[in-house]
Every structure is written in structure tokens, then in C-alpha cells.
């Protein structure tokens, strides 16, 4: 944490103007909003997974949104098992998603929604939602960012709607 203090000035809470996180500098108000949104998303995920556990739902679906491509784009709209060792094996485990699920990065707009596979199958909403494109599996956040930039106009990156 740092502020731009003139020589000889004393630090006061009002002098705190920026924070440095991961080598990036953020204005304090910008960081506070991003942090609040990200932590709210984490709470939403915890609540969704708790509700799923209580009601015997073993899968979640990551929401889709109209947004510029980012590291979460290859994962949106797809269905995931909540537990590594339980649920329909056609679906990947949510732990394979960046961050272990939503939020996948700071300011991520995606959320996990309970997914009742039998109901989705009856509606015909399972096809194409069982696998993450091969190029995006098991990648680090920086590798995903590079791949998304490289494939931003490809059909394989487009969200399932």
C-alpha cells in the first residue's frame, strides 16, 4: 500500500491513495469496488453450492453473459460436477475451472447456477455443454489470457447460449 506523500509530510489515513497487488497499482476506490464485487461473487458461489448440497443437486452451470472475451469465456454455459468423485462423469469437475469455479478472476460477472441434469436433458440443453474446448483445458490464468486473445474471433470461444 502506498500514497504519494511530499517530502516531510506525515502519513495519515487520507494520504492512502493506491494499493499495489500482484505488481499492479489500483486507486483505492477502484480496488475496494473490485474487491467487494469479487468477494460477493465468492459468497454467492458458497451459497449456491450449499443449497445444492442440501437439495441433492450434484451439478452447476456457469452463467453466460454478453461481454468481451476473457479467461472465463471458454467455461461459460457449460455444466460441471460440484464434487470430483460424484455426479455424471460426462461433465468435468468444477475444480478444473480457473479459481475452482466462480469467480474465475477479479470482477468476474459469471455465477454458478444449480443444474438438474435430467431436466436439462429433457429440454435438450445438455449437448455441447459437457466439455471445455481442448485448447483451454488445464491452463494457467496467464496461458488462458494469451489463448483467449489468440482465439477471440473463433467459434470455439463463443459462449453457448
Amino acid at each position: 500500500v502506498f500514497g504519494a506523500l511530499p517530502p516531510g509530510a506525515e502519513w495519515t489515513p487520507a494520504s492512502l491513495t493506491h494499493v499495489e497487488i500482484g505488481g499492479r497499482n489500483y486507486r483505492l476506490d477502484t480496488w475496494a469496488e473490485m474487491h467487494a464485487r469479487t468477494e460477493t461473487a465468492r459468497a454467492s458461489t458458497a451459497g449456491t453450492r450449499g443449497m445444492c448440497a442440501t437439495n441433492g443437486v450434484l451439478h452447476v452451470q456457469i452463467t453466460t453473459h454478453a461481454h468481451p472475451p476473457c479467461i472465463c469465456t471458454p467455461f461459460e454455459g457449460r455444466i460441471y460436477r460440484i464434487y470430483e468423485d460424484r455426479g455424471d462423469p460426462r461433465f468435468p469437475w468444477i475444480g478444473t475451472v480457473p479459481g475452482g469455479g466462480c469467480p474465475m478472476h477479479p470482477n468476474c460477472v459469471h455465477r454458478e447456477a444449480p443444474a438438474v441434469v435430467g431436466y436439462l436433458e429433457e429440454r435438450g440443453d445438455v449437448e455441447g455443454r459437457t466439455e471445455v474446448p481442448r485448447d483451454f483445458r488445464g491452463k494457467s490464468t496467464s496461458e488462458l489470457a494469451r489463448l483467449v486473445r489468440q482465439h477471440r474471433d473463433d467459434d470455439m470461444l463463443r459462449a453457448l447460449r
Side-chain angles (χ1 to χ4, degrees), residues 139-156:
K139 304 293 185 200
S140 70
T141 301
S142 59
E143 290 172 315
L144 282 170
R146 182 184 55 76
L147 283 168
V148 166
R149 283 191 302 274
Q150 188 177 27
H151 294 286
R152 75 178 331 121
D153 296 320
D154 293 0
D155 283 338
M156 79 169 164

Side-chain angles (χ1 to χ4, degrees), residues 43-105:
S44 173
T45 293
T48 297
R49 291 187 188 180
M51 183 181 66
C52 287
T54 299
N55 292 292
V57 176
L58 301 175
H59 303 86
V60 291
Q61 183 172 12
I62 294 179
T63 59
T64 59
H65 301 275
H67 61 85
C70 63
I71 67 164
C72 44
T73 304
F75 304 95
E76 68 181 0
R78 300 181 194 285
I79 301 167
Y80 298 88
R81 293 188 326 266
I82 299 172
Y83 306 100
E84 189 171 13
D85 59 346
R86 293 181 16 212
D88 190 324
R90 292 179 296 170
F91 304 104
W93 173 49
I94 193 72
T96 61
V97 170
C102 296
M104 293 178 244
H105 57 83

Side-chain angles (χ1 to χ4, degrees), residues 95-118:
T96 61
V97 170
C102 296
M104 293 178 244
H105 57 83
N107 278 334
C108 187
V109 297
H110 294 91
R111 299 295 178 266
E112 295 175 15
V116 178
V117 174

